[in-house]
Amino acid sequence: MEFFIQQVINGLTLGGLYALIALGYTMVYGIIQLINFAHGEFFAAGGYMGVILLSFLAAHGYMETHPWFCLFGALLLTMGYCAMLAMAVEKVAYKPLRYASRLSVLLSALGMSIFLQNGLMLTQGVYDKAYPTEFTHGGLDFGLITFSYMQILIVAVTIALLLGLNALVFRTRIGTAMRATAQDKVMSSLVGINSNRIISTTFAIGAALAAAAGIMIGLYYGSVRYDMGFVPGIKAFAAAVLGGIGNITGAMVGGLIIGMVEIFAAGYLSSEYKDVWAFIILIAVLYFMPTGIMGENVDDTRV
């Protein structure tokens, strides 16, 4: 029983991070029907920006005196950086192809993914970069069950970001404009909504969430690598499809399911094939339930 509860804790931690990444896929698809295959690179860029900022602060002694201030400051700066990066990518790679064929946009997304990944490799090197270890020690022990401080932090930040996104989308004027643009770009433009600005904002929000997941993954596993965005990006895409691509709530649920399945498969079956399950789920959903468990592009929940 203790092992089962421990796996649930691990699954919730990992699933929450997948949910943050999946939200970027589903938001962008919901508003312009584009699968942004460069989204995983925003996640990787966030991981690298986090390690750069935290290593700089640690080298100057700030991590010893104000560790939590440094962490949340680095988190905010990382999210801001990746938001601006995503807006630049949207302007360069996607906006000129707004009315082009879907194949052209898809090729542009794949090309931008390769470009960003190789940019990380050339600027940061091919070797792993280690995160500072100030936050990796200690936790709460309940017999054989351990809830590390890092897991508590990840779950708390993930819940805060998910609740913040939900409030932004459904309770603010920006969120109303995003949902209106997703539903009908022409009519939203006629009532004064700047669709280009809303699309850029959507890219920025999705990338900021992916950046937060990147820095937390780096802290959780202790290091980052230039190609770290590929596999989590594919798993997050599977989570978005599982929940219903374009459906915000579905992306959250799908991320949690993918994380739980991966952790339980690694714990009870084999850790060597833990990455396979996301692809099996993706294929099964596309075959048996192509609109996902919560439906695709539902008007009152999509972005």
Side-chain angles (χ1 to χ4, degrees):
M1 186 62 183
E2 289 85 359
F3 181 75
F4 176 83
I5 296 175
Q6 184 67 64
Q7 296 301 87
V8 169
I9 294 172
N10 296 337
L12 289 174
T13 304
L14 186 61
L17 296 176
Y18 287 156
L20 288 178
I21 308 171
L23 284 167
Y25 281 109
T26 208
M27 290 173 67
V28 169
Y29 183 87
I31 203 164
I32 58 173
Q33 286 73 56
L34 164 69
I35 301 298
N36 180 20
F37 285 110
H39 188 64
E41 274 52 63
F42 301 144
F43 163 79
Y48 267 102
M49 180 56 65
V51 74
I52 290 170
L53 291 173
L54 290 176
S55 297
F56 173 82
L57 294 170
H60 289 77
Y62 297 114
M63 289 285 285
E64 296 180 2
T65 56
H66 302 90
W68 295 107
F69 179 80
C70 291
L71 176 60
F72 286 106
L75 182 65
L76 292 175
L77 289 173
T78 297
M79 293 175 68
Y81 164 75
C82 287
M84 291 188 291
L85 176 63
M87 293 175 72
V89 168
E90 191 273 331
K91 295 292 185 186
V92 172
Y94 302 138
K95 186 177 179 180
L97 301 175
R98 190 69 48 80
Y99 302 103
S101 66
R102 290 196 176 188
L103 180 59
S104 299
V105 181
L106 176 64
L107 292 174
S108 180
L110 291 172
M112 185 54 65
S113 174
I114 296 171
F115 175 80
L116 292 175
Q117 186 178 122
N118 281 271
L120 285 174
M121 180 185 68
L122 293 173
T123 57
Q124 304 300 323
V126 297
Y127 300 106
D128 294 4
K129 283 198 172 184
Y131 261 77
T133 59
E134 281 79 356
F135 302 99
T136 59
H137 304 294
L140 303 177
D141 295 323
F142 304 95
L144 298 177
I145 301 170
T146 300
F147 204 175
S148 70
Y149 292 138
M150 193 68 250
Q151 288 177 317
I152 296 173
L153 173 68
I154 290 174
V155 171
V157 172
T158 299
I159 291 174
L161 290 174
L162 293 179
L163 291 176
L165 176 66
N166 188 75
L168 175 69
V169 171
F170 297 109
R171 299 182 182 275
T172 66
R173 291 175 62 88
I174 294 177
T176 302
M178 291 167 65
R179 288 183 285 122
T181 302
Q183 190 170 10
D184 193 319
K185 295 180 183 61
V186 176
M187 288 302 297
S188 62
S189 298
L190 291 176
V191 297
I193 296 175
N194 188 329
S195 61
N196 288 327
R197 183 179 300 172
I198 293 300
I199 291 170
S200 294
T201 301
T202 303
F203 269 86
I205 294 171
L209 294 175
I215 191 171
M216 288 189 288
I217 281 282
L219 286 167
Y220 191 52
Y221 290 108
S223 64
V224 290
R225 182 180 168 85
Y226 76 94
D227 58 354
M228 64 178 278
F230 177 73
V231 174
I234 294 297
K235 292 178 182 178
F237 173 66
V241 174
L242 173 61
I245 190 72
N247 190 308
I248 289 179
T249 306
M252 298 179 188
V253 174
L256 292 175
I257 292 174
I258 293 290
M260 296 290 285
V261 169
E262 180 177 328
I263 289 297
F264 274 95
Y268 287 99
L269 298 177
S270 172
S271 61
E272 295 181 359
Y273 300 100
K274 64 182 180 65
D275 293 332
V276 173
W277 292 99
F279 298 97
I280 292 176
I281 292 173
L282 177 60
I283 294 170
V285 170
L286 290 174
Y287 188 80
F288 295 105
M289 197 182 300
T291 59
I293 58 177
M294 301 193 71
E296 178 182 354
N297 290 336
V298 179
D299 286 343
D300 61 348
T301 58
R302 87 177 197 175
V303 98

